[in-house]
Structure formats: structure tokens, C-alpha cells
Amino acid sequence: MEQGSAREGVRPPYAPGAPAGTPVTGRVPEQLCVGRSQDAERAGGARGVRGEHRHGEPPAPRVVRHSVRGQILEALRAALVDGELIPGQVYSAPVLGARFGVSATPVREAMQQLATEGAVEVVPNRGFRVSERGPRELAELAEVRALIEVPVMLRLARTVPAERWAALRPLADATVAAAAVGDRASYAECDRAFHRAVLTLAGNEQLVAIADELHRRSQWPLVANPATRQADLLADAAEHTALLDALTAQDLAVVQALVREHFTGADV
């Protein structure tokens, strides 16, 4: 059950009208999505809290860190997951830059990166159009992810000792915490962090990079901006916990069934 499914929406718990960067009770701390074992990679990109956003407008400014381009890239990626950047709509770099309080240059650079990832398309002399995606593309992504991750996880279930899986439990718990407050953007980060940490145990950096990119693309919303219901996020997060239990018990049949359901059980 991944983020891009066509489901009834739940708005994340951001404070309407609050100034950019204002903390809001209920948001999942980002550090919960960071691996706490030597096998877990850091979850990407810190983000801040948004204010109110009206349909069809660029996202409100976010509190971000590191390089300006990297800051804006992570903020835009989160806006894609949350559906703040509407599929089919064109956004200009100067307008987005004004919303973020930066020049158009880092926004344009970040959007160029998103274009290479397939999230947006360049529209000459206008800006960038958010890509429109349908159920077929999401189903294809789910199929490819299953082809990659199912055999890897089955191999890991046979060879990885129980204590290594126990070290990943905080990452699974972080997905549950994000789902519990309906925070789609934080859930997307924690979800990818969990899967990266599991696959990292295979010792293949190329596999981890490819799987993570496919995972990111599966989290972009469908056309018409449907959002994932909180109940579906909770069900998805529960599968992470169940998967860890099956991996620890070396129950190969359950591992295979859970991973396939995790990718194909949602409408993605």
C-alpha cells in the first residue's frame, strides 16, 4: 500500500494560516525516520511545516537546511507527495521562488532535477508542468518493485540474524507514528527510510539506489490530486511491522506474501 493510490484525502495536521516554520503538535519528528542502526541509511531531506495552501497555488514556504538547491528540491518533493503541486498544472520558477523567499535560480535547478526524475515536464517560456499519472503507471512501478525486492528479502530472511532485524524496529515504528497523524509527507520519508534500511542489508548499493528511485516515483499522486486516506497509511505501516516479524522468524511464505501485497495491494 503505497502513497500514490487513488483514495479519499486526509489533510495533514498543519496549522491553517500559521507562519512558515511554526511547529504544530502532532507532526512526526524527522529524526524518527533516520536509521538508528549501522545498517540504516539516513532518511533524505529535512523539511519544515507549511501554512495554509489553497488549491492550485504553489506551496507555502518551508523551513529547510543545507544547500539552497537541495532545500528547495526536498520541499518540492514533499509538495508533490502532499498533492500541493497539482498534476497537469504549470508552475513558474519565479513564482515558486517568491513563495519560498529565494531567487528563481535554485527553484529552476531543483525543477530540472525533478524533470530528470519524471516528476515534472519542462514547458518552454512558461515553467514546469507536474506530470499526470494514471493507475497503469503505478501498477507497472509496483510490478517492477516486487521483481526487485521480493527475491532480495527472501534471501535476507534466510541469512540475516534476528538481532539485525530488531535494530530496524524504530524505522517501522516511525512509519506507524507518521500514519497515526495522517502526515503523508513524513510518512513518505519514513516509508522509504524503512525500505532502504532493509535493502541495505543486501550489501548492493546499486540495488538500493534503483529501488529507492522507483519507490519515490510510486509516491507521487495520481492525476486529479487524490490523496491517501489515513486508514490506508495505517494499514501500510502495519505491514512494515508484520514484515519485520516474518523476517525475524524466517517465515519465507509470509515474507513473500507481505511484500507482494505491500506493492500490489494498494491501487498503485
Side-chain angles (χ1 to χ4, degrees):
M1 291 178 228
E2 302 296 338
Q3 283 264 220
S5 57
R7 291 170 173 143
E8 202 176 306
V10 176
R11 182 172 177 80
Y14 302 128
T22 302
V24 179
T25 300
R27 180 166 177 80
V28 177
E30 291 173 27
Q31 59 268 30
L32 291 180
C33 302
V34 178
R36 299 180 187 178
S37 75
Q38 61 182 358
D39 306 300
E41 295 186 345
R42 293 186 63 84
R47 295 194 323 278
V49 178
R50 284 142 291 182
E52 186 176 26
H53 167 73
R54 290 180 293 180
H55 183 79
E57 288 187 355
R62 301 169 188 269
V63 176
V64 282
R65 298 193 295 270
H66 311 303
S67 73
V68 175
R69 175 187 174 279
Q71 296 164 9
I72 299 302
L73 178 59
E74 290 306 317
L76 290 172
R77 281 173 170 165
L80 281 168
V81 171
D82 272 346
E84 293 177 349
L85 295 178
I86 310 301
Q89 186 159 325
V90 176
Y91 297 90
S92 74
V95 171
L96 286 171
R99 298 283 297 192
F100 287 120
V102 299
S103 71
T105 298
V107 175
R108 191 174 290 112
E109 292 173 348
M111 280 294 200
Q112 290 288 354
Q113 175 61 37
L114 290 175
T116 66
E117 297 173 3
V120 301
E121 306 164 13
V122 178
V123 181
N125 302 317
R126 293 185 61 196
F128 302 86
R129 178 183 291 111
V130 178
S131 298
E132 300 181 82
R133 311 162 63 243
R136 178 173 179 175
E137 180 181 348
L138 292 174
E140 291 173 351
L141 286 169
E143 181 180 6
V144 175
R145 290 186 64 203
L147 288 172
I148 293 174
E149 296 197 31
V150 169
V152 173
M153 290 196 187
L154 288 174
R155 174 163 60 86
L156 292 174
R158 298 185 186 99
T159 58
V160 174
E163 59 269 19
R164 301 289 290 279
W165 297 123
L168 303 189
R169 190 70 60 175
L171 292 173
D173 293 342
T175 67
V176 174
V181 295
D183 188 338
R184 295 192 299 273
S186 286
Y187 183 84
E189 292 178 356
C190 295
D191 187 24
R192 289 201 319 277
F194 173 80
H195 283 266
R196 282 199 305 270
V198 172
L199 295 178
T200 295
L201 294 174
N204 187 326
E205 294 181 2
Q206 299 304 312
L207 180 148
V208 174
I210 291 170
D212 190 55
E213 177 60 23
L214 291 169
H215 195 166
R216 185 188 300 280
R217 290 174 59 190
S218 75
Q219 294 174 329
W220 301 336
L222 290 166
V223 67
N225 189 31
T228 309
R229 293 181 302 158
Q230 184 176 7
D232 295 316
L233 291 180
L234 287 167
D236 193 63
E239 289 177 356
H240 293 149
T241 301
L243 177 59
L244 276 184
D245 291 340
L247 288 165
T248 301
Q250 296 186 323
D251 192 332
L252 303 187
V254 173
V255 169
Q256 179 167 322
L258 280 171
V259 177
R260 291 191 180 280
E261 172 63 20
H262 196 61
F263 295 153
T264 63
D267 305 324
V268 296

